[in-house]
Amino acid sequence: TVNIPADITIDNQLSFTKGNITTAAMKVVMSAGATVTGADQSTGWVFGNLQKNVSTGSSIARDFEIGDANFYLPVNMLFNTVSIAGDLTGAVASNDHIEIDYSRIDPTKSVNLAWSFNNSGILFSDATLSFNWDASAIDAGANTGDFKVAAFNGSSWALQTIASPLPVSIEATAVTSMADFAVGEKITKTNSNGNSFTND
């Protein structure tokens, strides 16, 4: 593991062969045009903050090669249309989001991870985000086929449109702003007749 004492900027290529880059409060900054290769569970990733430039155009793809101390937990993004370029910083924490209790995601049937993305100047129409995790992060008894994605903007949560819920990944589609994200089953309640319902 490489522990960085300050922000580092990559102007060309960051290649992972063995081991993680741990940023703590610092970040790995990828210049416009810089690339990441080789990131994987067996080769390494950024454990902490990874910043990438998002250029203008249509169908702009950005992959965030991030994870926690033990697992590679990347997020793959596809921006539909970007009209103003900027920077996006992403990270993932190995625990439920601190505000998950009012997210409409059941914290007992969730992925015990919290992804966060900070947008600096990017103006975009919408994006598709694909979240990936290790099976060990899932609460016992959770049904991944029922998973949802919720986004937290700092004061409130909103459930996202989702697609392709799989055992270790899910897509949030038509995302219009970057935020903190949580994944899990939507909370189910029981009414006075004993029937279950979800709190839409």
Side-chain angles (χ1 to χ4, degrees):
T1 297
V2 175
N3 298 285
I4 59 173
D7 292 355
I8 60 171
T9 299
I10 307 298
D11 292 322
N12 185 11
Q13 182 172 287
L14 171 60
S15 299
F16 286 93
T17 56
K18 189 66 176 177
N20 298 339
I21 299 175
T22 301
T23 72
M26 307 306 167
K27 58 187 174 182
V28 175
V29 179
M30 304 298 294
S31 297
T35 59
V36 178
T37 63
D40 195 75
Q41 180 65 37
S42 62
T43 52
W45 56 87
V46 175
F47 172 29
N49 303 302
L50 176 60
Q51 177 181 303
K52 291 198 172 186
N53 181 265
V54 179
S55 58
T56 58
S58 301
S59 299
I60 303 299
R62 290 292 180 270
D63 297 329
F64 280 79
E65 297 86 356
I66 55 178
D68 62 12
N70 299 306
F71 295 106
Y72 182 48
L73 310 164
V75 178
N76 311 107
M77 298 188 180
L78 182 64
F79 293 87
N80 185 22
T81 302
V82 179
S83 53
I84 298 178
D87 296 313
L88 186 63
T89 302
V92 57
S94 52
N95 48 259
D96 282 328
H97 194 281
I98 192 171
E99 305 287 348
I100 197 173
D101 285 346
Y102 60 101
S103 67
R104 290 189 285 175
I105 297 293
D106 187 339
T108 69
K109 296 181 179 180
S110 68
V111 178
N112 297 307
L113 298 168
W115 289 270
S116 61
F117 289 94
N118 182 33
N119 181 0
S120 179
I122 307 166
L123 184 61
F124 65 98
S125 58
D126 61 273
T128 296
L129 279 61
S130 178
F131 299 93
N132 301 273
W133 56 85
D134 185 83
S136 63
I138 304 170
D139 284 321
N143 183 357
T144 58
D146 292 333
F147 276 4
K148 308 296 182 184
V149 177
F152 182 65
N153 64 9
S155 59
S156 62
W157 289 89
L159 290 175
Q160 305 296 292
T161 302
I162 61 100
S164 305
L166 298 172
V168 290
S169 68
I170 195 170
E171 289 184 358
T173 64
V175 175
T176 56
S177 62
M178 292 297 153
D180 295 351
F181 295 92
V183 176
E185 291 187 40
K186 190 159 57 172
I187 289 176
T188 300
K189 297 182 178 180
T190 303
N191 61 21
S192 58
N193 295 321
N195 297 317
S196 298
F197 66 97
T198 54
N199 58 336
D200 293 324

